[in-house]
Amino acid sequence: MKYFWWVVLGLLPRLGSAQTVDPVQQVNVFLGSSGDHGQLSPAASYPFSMVSLGPQTYPNTHTGYEQLARKFLGFTHNRFEGVGCMGSGGNLLVKPFMGRGPQDAELLKRTEHAEPGYYGVAFANGQKAELTVAQKFGLHHYSFPAGERGMYFDLSHSFVKRFQQEQHRTQGNALSGWIEAATTCDAGRYRLFYYLEVSQPVQWEATGAHQLIARLPAGGATEVEVRVAFSSVSAAHAKASMRRESFQTIRQQSRQAWNTLLSRVQVQGDSARSNLFYSLLYRTLQSPYVVSEADGSYQAINGTQQKSRVPIYNGWAVWDNYHTQLPLLSLAYPAEFQHIAASLANLYRFGKKDFATQHEPSPTVRTEHTIVVLLDAYRKGYKLDLRGIRDSLIQEVNRLDYTHPDKALESSYDAWALAEILSELKEKKLSAHYRQKALGYKDFWRKDFQDMTAPDVDKLPARGMYQGTIWQYRWAVPFDVKGLMALMGGEAAYRQQLDAFFAGDYYNHANETDLHAPALYHASQEPWKSQALLHTLAVDTVVQHYFNDNSRGIDPYIGRIYQNQPQAYLRTMDDDAGAMSGWFVLTACGLMPACVGSPVYYLSLPLFQQVKVQVAAKKQLVIQVEKFAPQRRYIQAARFNGKPLDRNWLTHEELAAGGTLILVASDMPNTRWGVKQQWVSDAQKSY
């Protein structure tokens, strides 16, 4: 009966109100775990850990798990949550079985329960499995009925058959070695070292080139544990990371680690909305991964072993999450973000590529716009040696692609970031050169994005662009909104074209191409339109026509985008390593980056009566909403630290210093608030 007790006990905290339970108890790890609605999994995970120990079902989604599936193939040890190209990871599959062999043992799910740091399942044949994790460490606990039993290990298992090679050795009840597989989209490869121990004596049998069976002793204990530690450096380092505490101790430590990080942002309001909030905040804290060891060793992306005095991270999806997840971390998780930003800068020392190298220390995706993130971090006060990587930054910008309309705009953004970095380094002449290169986006914009009467302006994709339409990409100039207004014929024309964009439902929240567009009214005389849009997209019914199978859907989707259920997002909408979750979290807090690279946040009405962000060890940012109502979306007035606030933006420095922001809510827009002292990005001027 042990299994049923932990199911019941695991559910009990959810019966309380959102105001009285810990944030970790409000997380629904099954959100987005069914179909193509987020590509998320309920795997046991730990904050920023390369180990993600979870179920492998048949059939599966990008993370190895489909919530509706009953048949289990076993359990795997890593996955990159929410990314495309059919996922990344899925290494080292373990299948517990009854009888003579795994081929005759079918695992059919009967019940399951999961929470941050824990996953448990009971099968129809009486077997049970519980999983928990720590940093670089995973622990399986299996319960068997009486009879013959064993465990099957597939060292060649990998999502999308991306396995390449492996080496292993057995010694007593231990299995160790390394596994190499292709990264996301097959762009590069990574190598993971592991050390694994079974809690009982076992008899090893090779059943294939990369498959083994560990037979358990007849008449032995029916409770079996498998301890696994990972490293990007060596099997010896993996063994050194092995934990010896009990299952319950590791589970409690993982739960506490999650609760500590989730508690950095506290919200007060409707319990259902609060549960959704923490379920999405949880997804912003899973990657990138700490890949360095306790002694500072780590594998660089050129395959060499290096040493660092601070944690080194890897596992990037920067193109996807630089608008949202990374700015969120920079505000609410400054200690972690310092190391994340430094790790991004460190890539340039060892041959950074837009996608993966052939020597990645973990699964990874892509790093375009890293230069924008570095500029953003530097201006927010994070310590980075930009001068030390100056030449590599210049070389990267000199290689940028301008061959397609979308690439031309995105490359111009990076050129602008380089110009701003060179300005920070007091290299005015070179900065001016790259500023002019960035402003060259105007020629591309006039050529491809000015004429909206062409027949392909709402085609997904068009003109060789990547997962976006002309309507969606034409707003991709966040570094020069002032210049964009001029191209459109002035601010009035700019607002009219934004009106047409959203009124025609050309906006696509299923991908990141125009994710910043709902906030663009903030740069105009009608900021209240962004206040309404952000609220609507976060919690109200919307119409969405576009999906990531390169189509304007046959039938539009009508409903809410963010839902606290397995089919949580739009069809084909990936979470993309916290990118989409981060958008919701920022919107729920009433904050949205105006332009990554310029440390400014636009203000909208939060989705909660109160939000508290622990911006530093002894500093707290409190955002309170007077006259709050769940459906109110407009700011009537504002006060910051007791003084009236007429502008609709605050700097990172102001927010990170802590204090109290009070926003007065209204059912109707105040068309006079937030239109003075506007902040509008202008590439002609250095910030």
Side-chain angles (χ1 to χ4, degrees), residues 150-189:
M151 284 175 289
Y152 167 72
F153 296 86
D154 185 352
L155 307 180
S156 64
H157 191 275
S158 185
F159 296 151
V160 210
K161 298 181 179 180
R162 291 199 170 113
F163 167 79
Q164 294 187 344
Q165 58 180 331
E166 63 92 14
Q167 287 185 5
H168 69 271
R169 65 188 294 262
T170 59
Q171 185 175 13
N173 64 338
L175 171 69
S176 61
W178 54 262
I179 297 171
E180 197 168 83
T183 60
T184 316
C185 307
D186 295 293
R189 61 182 176 180

Side-chain angles (χ1 to χ4, degrees), residues 87-279:
S88 184
N91 302 126
L92 186 53
L93 180 138
V94 180
K95 179 183 180 181
F97 65 87
M98 299 289 298
R100 291 299 302 165
Q103 68 280 359
D104 301 322
E106 190 170 50
L107 296 176
L108 296 179
K109 177 176 68 176
R110 189 178 67 194
T111 57
E112 65 184 345
H113 170 68
E115 60 192 43
Y118 174 85
Y119 176 84
V121 59
F123 296 108
N125 66 357
Q127 288 181 230
K128 299 160 190 165
E130 295 180 81
L131 314 171
T132 192
V133 292
Q135 185 60 261
K136 294 193 177 71
F137 173 76
L139 178 54
H140 310 234
H141 183 101
Y142 297 121
S143 299
F144 294 91
E148 287 187 282
R149 57 200 181 277
M151 284 175 289
Y152 167 72
F153 296 86
D154 185 352
L155 307 180
S156 64
H157 191 275
S158 185
F159 296 151
V160 210
K161 298 181 179 180
R162 291 199 170 113
F163 167 79
Q164 294 187 344
Q165 58 180 331
E166 63 92 14
Q167 287 185 5
H168 69 271
R169 65 188 294 262
T170 59
Q171 185 175 13
N173 64 338
L175 171 69
S176 61
W178 54 262
I179 297 171
E180 197 168 83
T183 60
T184 316
C185 307
D186 295 293
R189 61 182 176 180
Y190 61 89
R191 176 177 289 190
L192 297 177
F193 296 88
Y194 65 93
Y195 185 85
L196 177 154
E197 287 182 354
V198 184
S199 63
Q200 294 185 23
V202 297
Q203 178 183 346
W204 295 100
E205 299 177 10
T207 62
H210 309 292
Q211 291 82 35
L212 300 94
I213 287 177
R215 295 201 180 276
L216 296 166
T222 58
E223 306 287 321
V224 180
E225 289 188 341
V226 178
R227 295 174 183 264
V228 190
F230 275 76
S231 170
S232 297
V233 178
S234 70
H237 279 89
K239 185 176 182 180
S241 296
M242 186 69 74
R243 302 284 294 272
R244 299 298 174 185
E245 298 96 324
S246 70
F247 186 96
Q248 292 302 327
T249 297
I250 296 293
R251 178 182 177 183
Q252 182 57 38
Q253 290 175 354
S254 182
R255 181 184 180 88
Q256 185 56 50
W258 276 115
N259 201 53
T260 297
L261 281 192
L262 293 169
S263 296
R264 295 286 291 275
V265 186
Q266 298 180 17
V267 297
Q268 178 183 325
D270 174 72
S271 61
R273 193 173 284 184
S274 177
N275 291 342
L276 176 61
F277 177 87
Y278 283 113
S279 298

Side-chain angles (χ1 to χ4, degrees), residues 287-352:
S287 62
Y289 318 118
V290 176
V291 295
S292 55
E293 301 296 331
D295 65 359
S297 301
Y298 72 96
Q299 180 189 289
I301 57 173
N302 64 353
T304 62
Q305 288 198 15
Q306 303 290 332
K307 283 270 192 176
S308 173
R309 290 176 294 178
V310 297
I312 296 294
Y313 286 72
N314 196 65
W316 308 109
V318 181
W319 183 91
D320 304 276
N321 58 28
Y322 81 102
H323 282 302
T324 55
Q325 185 236 17
L326 292 174
L328 172 65
L329 297 182
S330 75
L331 180 64
Y333 301 92
E336 291 80 5
F337 185 76
Q338 171 62 65
H339 302 314
I340 289 170
S343 297
L344 281 169
N346 194 49
L347 295 175
Y348 287 89
R349 297 177 55 212
F350 300 104
K352 172 191 171 296

Side-chain angles (χ1 to χ4, degrees), residues 13 76 116-117 230 241 389 396 430 462 464 467 486 556 569 600-601 604 607 629 661 674:
T76 55
F230 275 76
S241 296
I389 60 172
E396 179 179 68
L430 200 54
Q467 293 187 338
Y569 296 111
V600 172
Y601 298 79
S604 293
L607 301 179
L661 172 64

Side-chain angles (χ1 to χ4, degrees), residues 326-334 337 376-377 379-382 598-601 615 621 640 649-658 687:
L326 292 174
L328 172 65
L329 297 182
S330 75
L331 180 64
Y333 301 92
F337 185 76
D376 195 59
R379 285 179 162 167
K380 289 175 177 176
Y382 289 97
S598 299
V600 172
Y601 298 79
V615 292
L621 171 66
F640 187 52
W649 55 274
L650 289 169
T651 66
H652 181 88
E653 183 180 17
E654 289 172 314
L655 295 172
Y687 178 78

